[in-house]
Amino acid sequence: MSVSLTGRALVAGVVGHPIAHSLSPRLHNAWIAAAGLDAVYVPFGPGETGFTRLAEGFRGGAIRGLNVTLPFKEEALALADRADAAAEAAQAANLLLFHPDGSIEARNTDGLGLLGAFAEQAPGADLASGPVVLLGAGGAARGAAAALKAAGVPDLRIVNRSVDRALALAEAFGGRAYSLGQAAQVFDGAVAIINSTSAGLGDSPPVQWPLEAAPRTAAVMDMVYKPLITPLLDFARNRGMPVVDGLAMLIGQARPSFEAFYGCPPPAGVDARALLLEAMG
Ligand code: NDP
């Protein structure tokens, strides 16, 4: 269904660098069309250094808001006038709202996306019932750690190549830090294992995670969604472990963003997953 825009159209978008690969415009505009809204969702690519100037230009509510992706999530929090607890905890924002009084509000919906992905694809995984292993200690791990602690994870085990970053995260959220070499010991008894590293992407070498040391009942999630079934998920699936993919998290973080922009939840009837899989080819 196509929607014709009027002078009252609600505008929102996504900003990142690079931005051309973003799946968010495809998803939000499909929801807009299905809901019959007078609205549009636009990608913004301000280059490496143009984020703050772009976002400051929207003060006063020229647009409703922006989703923020790499590498601007920390900068987004820094320029906001106020932030929700999730953004404060993650020290990063993936959502900015521009209010008519000129203020900018920062939120972080990545944690909701993560928990929603588990609820959808591994409903049997009770994250509050035992150790959860978080692989990585970058920006995405920070948001995940905050959400996992809020969800009642009793033993958060953070494994990272740079142990000092794992230690900092463990200190901030009440977890324990480990080196890559300790992964097998850390997987023992885990109820869930979540990969938030970018290892294996681009020029970065892959890590052979010793998943065989984990219980077969442990749910395995990979935040990476290109490819959808990563080597980690492939190994887990072949071992009969429940798997959760990064696309479910991407869709899960987009839902509350849509509602914040346009004032209604995404309409039922759009198969977001099929739509994005098609867009990914
Ligand atoms: P960061 O750059 O902040 O962190 C990268 C992490 O990966 C660090 O912990 C880094 O370790 C680790 N790492 C990188 N290369 C290697 C390697 N060769 N071996 C071991 N560890 C390595 O990135 P983000 O946290 O922002 O994002 C991480 C991933 O999560 C990305 O692929 C991103 O696309 C994905 N993501 C997916 C989302 C979704 O909705 N599905 C949402 C957010 C992120 P070190 O500290 O030692 O450098």
Side-chain angles (χ1 to χ4, degrees), residues 70 73 136-140 160-162 165 180 196-199 201 204-205 207 223-225 246 249-250:
L70 290 176
K73 291 184 179 184
N160 198 45
R161 178 177 61 180
S162 314
R165 292 183 86 190
L180 292 188
S196 78
T197 76
S198 48
L201 296 182
S204 164
V207 176
M223 288 194 194
V224 172
Y225 55 86
M249 176 173 172
L250 185 78

Coordinates of all heavy atoms in Angstrom, one line a residue, residues 70 73 136-140 160-162 165 180 196-199 201 204-205 207 223-225 246 249-250, ligand 1:
L70 N 25.9 2.5 14.5 CA 27.4 2.8 14.5 C 27.8 3.9 13.6 O 27.3 4.0 12.5 CB 28.1 1.5 14.1 CG 28.0 0.3 15.0 CD1 28.7 -0.9 14.4 CD2 28.6 0.6 16.4
K73 N 26.4 6.0 18.7 CA 25.5 5.8 19.8 C 26.0 6.5 21.1 O 25.1 7.0 21.8 CB 25.4 4.3 20.1 CG 24.6 3.5 19.0 CD 24.4 2.1 19.4 CE 23.6 1.3 18.3 NZ 23.3 0.0 18.7
G136 N 32.3 -10.6 24.4 CA 32.5 -9.3 23.9 C 32.2 -8.3 25.0 O 31.5 -8.6 26.0
A137 N 32.8 -7.1 24.9 CA 32.7 -6.1 25.9 C 32.6 -4.7 25.2 O 33.0 -3.7 25.8 CB 33.8 -6.2 26.9
G138 N 32.1 -4.6 24.0 CA 32.0 -3.4 23.3 C 30.7 -2.7 23.6 O 30.0 -3.0 24.6
G139 N 30.3 -1.8 22.7 CA 29.0 -1.0 22.9 C 27.8 -1.9 23.0 O 27.0 -1.7 23.9
A140 N 27.7 -2.9 22.1 CA 26.5 -3.8 22.2 C 26.4 -4.6 23.4 O 25.4 -4.8 24.0 CB 26.4 -4.7 20.9
N160 N 36.1 -11.5 27.0 CA 36.6 -10.5 26.0 C 38.0 -10.7 25.7 O 38.8 -11.1 26.5 CB 36.2 -9.1 26.4 CG 36.2 -8.2 25.2 OD1 35.7 -8.5 24.2 ND2 36.9 -7.0 25.4
R161 N 38.4 -10.4 24.4 CA 39.8 -10.4 24.0 C 40.6 -9.4 24.9 O 41.6 -9.8 25.4 CB 39.8 -10.0 22.5 CG 41.2 -9.9 21.9 CD 41.2 -9.5 20.5 NE 40.5 -8.2 20.2 CZ 40.3 -7.7 19.0 NH1 40.7 -8.4 17.9 NH2 39.8 -6.5 18.9
S162 N 40.1 -8.2 25.0 CA 40.8 -7.2 25.9 C 40.2 -7.4 27.3 O 39.0 -6.9 27.5 CB 40.6 -5.8 25.4 OG 40.8 -5.7 24.1
R165 N 38.6 -4.5 29.3 CA 37.2 -4.0 29.0 C 36.2 -4.9 29.6 O 35.1 -4.5 30.0 CB 37.0 -4.0 27.4 CG 37.9 -2.9 26.8 CD 37.6 -2.9 25.3 NE 36.5 -2.0 24.9 CZ 35.9 -2.0 23.7 NH1 36.4 -2.7 22.8 NH2 34.9 -1.2 23.5
L180 N 39.7 -14.8 26.6 CA 39.2 -15.8 25.6 C 39.6 -17.2 25.9 O 38.9 -18.1 25.7 CB 39.8 -15.4 24.2 CG 39.3 -14.1 23.5 CD1 39.9 -14.0 22.1 CD2 37.8 -14.0 23.5
S196 N 28.4 -11.0 21.2 CA 28.3 -9.6 20.8 C 29.6 -9.1 20.2 O 29.8 -7.9 20.1 CB 27.9 -8.7 22.0 OG 29.0 -8.5 22.9
T197 N 30.5 -10.0 19.9 CA 31.8 -9.6 19.3 C 31.6 -9.4 17.8 O 30.6 -10.0 17.2 CB 32.9 -10.5 19.5 OG1 32.8 -11.7 18.6 CG2 33.0 -11.0 20.9
S198 N 32.4 -8.7 17.2 CA 32.4 -8.5 15.7 C 33.5 -9.4 15.1 O 33.9 -9.2 13.9 CB 32.6 -7.1 15.3 OG 33.6 -6.5 16.0
A199 N 34.0 -10.3 15.9 CA 35.1 -11.2 15.4 C 34.5 -12.0 14.2 O 33.4 -12.5 14.2 CB 35.5 -12.2 16.5
L201 N 34.0 -10.7 11.3 CA 33.5 -9.7 10.3 C 34.6 -8.9 9.7 O 35.6 -8.7 10.4 CB 32.5 -8.7 11.0 CG 31.3 -9.3 11.6 CD1 30.4 -8.2 12.2 CD2 30.5 -10.0 10.5
S204 N 38.6 -9.1 10.5 CA 38.8 -9.6 11.8 C 38.8 -11.2 11.8 O 37.9 -11.7 11.2 CB 37.7 -9.0 12.7 OG 37.6 -9.7 13.8
P205 N 39.8 -11.8 12.4 CA 39.8 -13.3 12.4 C 38.7 -13.9 13.2 O 38.3 -13.3 14.2 CB 41.2 -13.6 13.0 CG 41.5 -12.5 13.8 CD 40.9 -11.3 13.2
V207 N 36.7 -16.4 15.8 CA 37.1 -17.1 17.1 C 36.5 -18.5 17.1 O 35.3 -18.6 16.8 CB 36.7 -16.3 18.3 CG1 37.0 -17.0 19.6 CG2 37.3 -14.9 18.3
M223 N 24.5 -11.8 17.9 CA 23.9 -10.5 17.5 C 24.2 -10.2 16.0 O 23.5 -9.4 15.4 CB 24.5 -9.4 18.4 CG 24.1 -9.4 19.8 SD 24.5 -7.8 20.5 CE 24.3 -8.2 22.2
V224 N 25.2 -10.8 15.5 CA 25.5 -10.6 14.1 C 24.4 -11.2 13.2 O 23.9 -12.3 13.5 CB 26.9 -11.3 13.7 CG1 27.1 -11.2 12.2 CG2 28.0 -10.6 14.4
Y225 N 23.9 -10.5 12.2 CA 22.8 -11.0 11.4 C 23.1 -11.1 9.9 O 22.3 -11.5 9.1 CB 21.5 -10.2 11.6 CG 21.6 -8.8 11.4 CD1 21.4 -8.3 10.1 CD2 21.9 -7.9 12.4 CE1 21.5 -6.9 9.9 CE2 22.0 -6.5 12.2 CZ 21.8 -6.1 10.9 OH 21.9 -4.7 10.7
G246 N 20.4 -12.6 15.2 CA 20.5 -11.2 15.4 C 19.4 -10.4 14.7 O 19.1 -9.3 15.1
M249 N 16.7 -9.7 17.1 CA 17.0 -8.5 18.0 C 16.8 -7.2 17.2 O 16.3 -6.3 17.8 CB 18.5 -8.7 18.4 CG 19.0 -7.5 19.2 SD 20.6 -7.8 19.9 CE 21.0 -6.2 20.6
L250 N 17.2 -7.2 15.9 CA 17.1 -6.0 15.2 C 15.6 -5.6 15.1 O 15.2 -4.4 15.3 CB 17.6 -6.2 13.7 CG 17.6 -5.0 12.8 CD1 18.8 -4.1 13.2 CD2 17.7 -5.4 11.4
Ligands
NDP1 P1 32.3 -2.8 19.2 O1 33.3 -2.4 18.2 O2 31.9 -1.8 20.3 O3 32.8 -4.1 20.0 C1 33.4 -5.2 19.3 C2 33.7 -6.3 20.2 O4 34.1 -7.4 19.4 C3 34.7 -6.1 21.3 O5 34.4 -6.8 22.4 C4 36.0 -6.6 20.6 O6 37.0 -7.0 21.5 C5 35.4 -7.8 19.9 N1 36.2 -8.3 18.8 C6 36.4 -7.7 17.6 N2 37.2 -8.4 16.9 C7 37.6 -9.5 17.6 C8 38.4 -10.6 17.3 N3 39.1 -10.8 16.2 N4 38.5 -11.6 18.3 C9 37.9 -11.4 19.5 N5 37.1 -10.4 19.8 C10 37.0 -9.4 18.8 O7 31.0 -3.2 18.4 P2 29.5 -3.3 19.0 O8 29.5 -3.9 20.3 O9 28.8 -2.1 18.7 O10 28.8 -4.4 18.0 C11 29.2 -5.8 18.0 C12 28.4 -6.6 17.0 O11 27.1 -6.6 17.4 C13 28.5 -6.0 15.6 O12 28.6 -7.1 14.7 C14 27.1 -5.4 15.4 O13 26.7 -5.3 14.1 C15 26.2 -6.3 16.3 N6 25.0 -5.7 16.8 C16 23.8 -6.2 16.4 C17 22.6 -5.7 16.8 C18 21.3 -6.3 16.4 O14 20.3 -5.6 16.6 N7 21.3 -7.5 16.0 C19 22.6 -4.5 17.7 C20 23.9 -4.0 18.1 C21 25.1 -4.6 17.6 P3 38.1 -5.9 22.1 O15 37.4 -5.2 23.2 O16 39.2 -6.8 22.5 O17 38.4 -5.0 21.0

